[in-house]
Amino acid sequence: MLIKIPRRNEPLASEITPREIALSRRGFLQGLAASSLAAAGWSAPAIATESSTRQRLPAQRNAKYSATDKPTAYADATTYNNFYEFGTDKGDPALYAGSLKPRPWTVRVDGEVKKPLTLDIDALLKLAPLEERLYRLRCVEGWSMAIPWIGFPLAELIRKVEPTGNAKYVEFTTLADRAQMPGVRSRVLEWPYTEGLRIDEANHPLTLLTLGMYGQVLPNQNGAPVRIIVPWKYGFKSAKSLVRIRFTEVQPRTSWNLAAPDEYGFYSNVNPEVDHPRWSQASERRIGEDGFFTKKRKTLMFNGYPEVASLYSGMDLRKFY
Ligand SMILES: Nc1nc2c(c(=O)[nH]1)N[C@H]1C(S)=C(S)[C@@H](COP(=O)(O)O)O[C@H]1N2
Ligand SMILES: [Mo]
């Protein structure tokens, strides 16, 4: 076993703030907690379950739609992120999303609807009762988390705008502002980040318009102030920091599909039987369980939400990946 001698500039445990704990997941503080402090007989600092500064967001737990998985630690869920508008490294969003201004903020809801709407965040928060739902979210890269999200079914909003008979799909557009988002200068993706669902998928009771997590408003790095969560699809379908929801007759173009059409299809349902062209999708690493001896988990069809299967009856899920 390697015993690390503490360096002079390493902080004492008593000097480590919750923010530093949150930022420490991959950084040296974690190494410090695991090695030098442990070697000195100190226990690792408690993992923060929420930030002490963020605004609380009361919500009723919905047990019917909540997984029984152990929730991922808040510190992990807020420091291991994909949010390319703030950089492509997993730690970038936690480091750089502080420049995002989640208020004031409006979301435009339009397209093939009878009653287009522009809603600010306070109007969104009042649109329907807020629920807490523990959902699994699996990234196409092969890792997953279980997060207590707060929001309400997107169907509630869809009902209010009264889609026309031509509304077959829903397009989600997210903020692309160079002044607030350093990653938008890079050409990794076409900005703004867009995603889409078929209207029956958007109306499915699992599809959550999400305003918070862990009892609080969304941290910037997780898509403040409002995002979508589609738990049976790969994580990239769950677009962050939404500014527009548009109803369309034709299937919307999506950023990941434009970037690599063979790798990221429009449907992108979690499916252990359809491999990504460059890796298997049969198993996954649950963030927080990734010790050296920890076995990977088997990936479940539709990420363990079999109730959505009827949306795809008769469809060849290898063709419509
Ligand atoms: N606007 C935007 N939304 C996004 C992304 C992004 O880069 N930009 N990344 C997606 C991907 S790949 C994943 S896995 C999830 C991650 O969500 P989380 O960081 O809250 O866990 O957000 C998705 N939503
Ligand atoms: Mo992802």
Side-chain angles (χ1 to χ4, degrees):
M1 187 189 155
L2 265 173
I3 300 198
K4 194 175 153 223
I5 310 292
R7 276 188 243 113
R8 227 169 2 117
N9 58 359
E10 286 179 351
L12 293 169
S14 59
E15 294 168 351
I16 299 173
T17 66
R19 186 180 151 73
E20 285 166 325
I21 293 168
L23 291 173
S24 73
R25 182 166 191 280
R26 293 269 176 253
F28 96 103
L29 282 174
Q30 188 189 43
L32 177 74
S35 56
S36 62
L37 291 183
W42 298 355
S43 55
I47 300 287
T49 51
E50 58 180 45
S51 141
S52 50
T53 53
R54 211 168 286 288
Q55 194 195 318
R56 293 201 50 75
L57 193 62
Q60 191 75 42
R61 176 75 170 221
N62 185 326
K64 181 179 171 209
Y65 287 113
S66 288
T68 53
D69 302 35
K70 179 166 171 273
T72 299
Y74 177 88
D76 286 336
T78 54
T79 57
Y80 191 85
N81 301 103
N82 274 336
F83 198 167
Y84 277 21
E85 288 84 337
F86 294 102
T88 55
D89 284 352
K90 296 288 177 281
D92 285 344
L95 288 172
Y96 303 119
S99 52
L100 176 71
K101 282 192 208 69
R103 272 172 188 267
W105 189 284
T106 57
V107 181
R108 176 78 184 152
V109 190
D110 62 1
E112 289 289 347
V113 295
K114 292 186 196 112
K115 295 185 173 162
L117 269 178
T118 301
L119 294 155
D120 65 16
I121 290 306
D122 292 312
L124 270 176
L125 284 167
K126 278 185 253 151
L127 192 120
L130 294 179
E131 296 175 18
E132 181 183 73
R133 300 179 174 197
L134 188 85
Y135 278 170
R136 288 179 289 272
L137 194 72
R138 188 199 188 279
C139 179
V140 74
E141 295 165 335
W143 49 269
S144 62
M145 301 201 198
I147 294 179
W149 302 105
I150 298 168
F152 54 80
L154 179 64
E156 298 278 356
L157 173 60
I158 297 179
R159 207 158 46 85
K160 291 244 169 9
V161 295
E162 298 181 21
T164 71
N166 294 331
K168 307 254 158 55
Y169 296 91
V170 186
E171 177 192 64
F172 302 96
T173 305
T174 85
L175 185 71
D177 179 1
R178 280 175 175 241
Q180 300 179 61
M181 302 171 135
V184 171
R185 279 159 223 277
S186 128
R187 310 265 293 269
V188 273
L189 287 175
E190 260 185 51
W191 312 112
Y193 190 105
T194 58
E195 258 308 332
L197 295 172
R198 222 169 50 194
I199 193 149
D200 57 341
E201 299 177 318
N203 264 317
H204 192 279
L206 278 169
T207 303
L208 198 71
L209 194 70
T210 302
L211 295 135
M213 60 187 231
Y214 298 88
Q216 301 180 322
V217 301
L218 282 175
N220 290 354
Q221 59 268 41
N222 294 87
V226 58
R227 69 178 300 180
I228 195 81
I229 296 288
V230 195
W232 71 92
K233 291 179 180 274
Y234 290 119
F236 66 89
K237 301 294 285 182
S238 292
K240 294 176 168 179
S241 303
L242 298 175
V243 293
R244 190 177 185 193
I245 299 173
R246 187 169 70 100
F247 293 75
T248 63
E249 188 163 14
V250 295
Q251 185 175 299
R253 298 172 7 128
T254 66
S255 289
W256 280 105
N257 184 250
L258 288 170
D262 303 339
E263 304 191 7
Y264 312 108
F266 178 79
Y267 284 92
S268 286
N269 292 315
V270 173
N271 189 340
E273 289 159 23
V274 178
D275 288 341
H276 183 279
R278 290 184 282 136
W279 57 80
S280 159
Q281 292 291 31
S283 66
E284 68 203 55
R285 184 168 63 89
R286 179 62 56 90
I287 298 298
E289 290 181 348
D290 39 354
F292 188 73
F293 296 106
T294 311
K295 267 201 159 140
K296 284 187 148 197
R297 291 176 178 236
K298 269 198 166 138
T299 288
L300 303 171
M301 188 65 200
F302 300 119
N303 205 24
Y305 297 94
E307 61 266 50
V308 301
S310 59
L311 294 172
Y312 310 105
S313 53
M315 283 174 72
D316 177 353
L317 295 179
R318 290 185 178 274
K319 188 163 164 230
F320 299 100
Y321 57 93

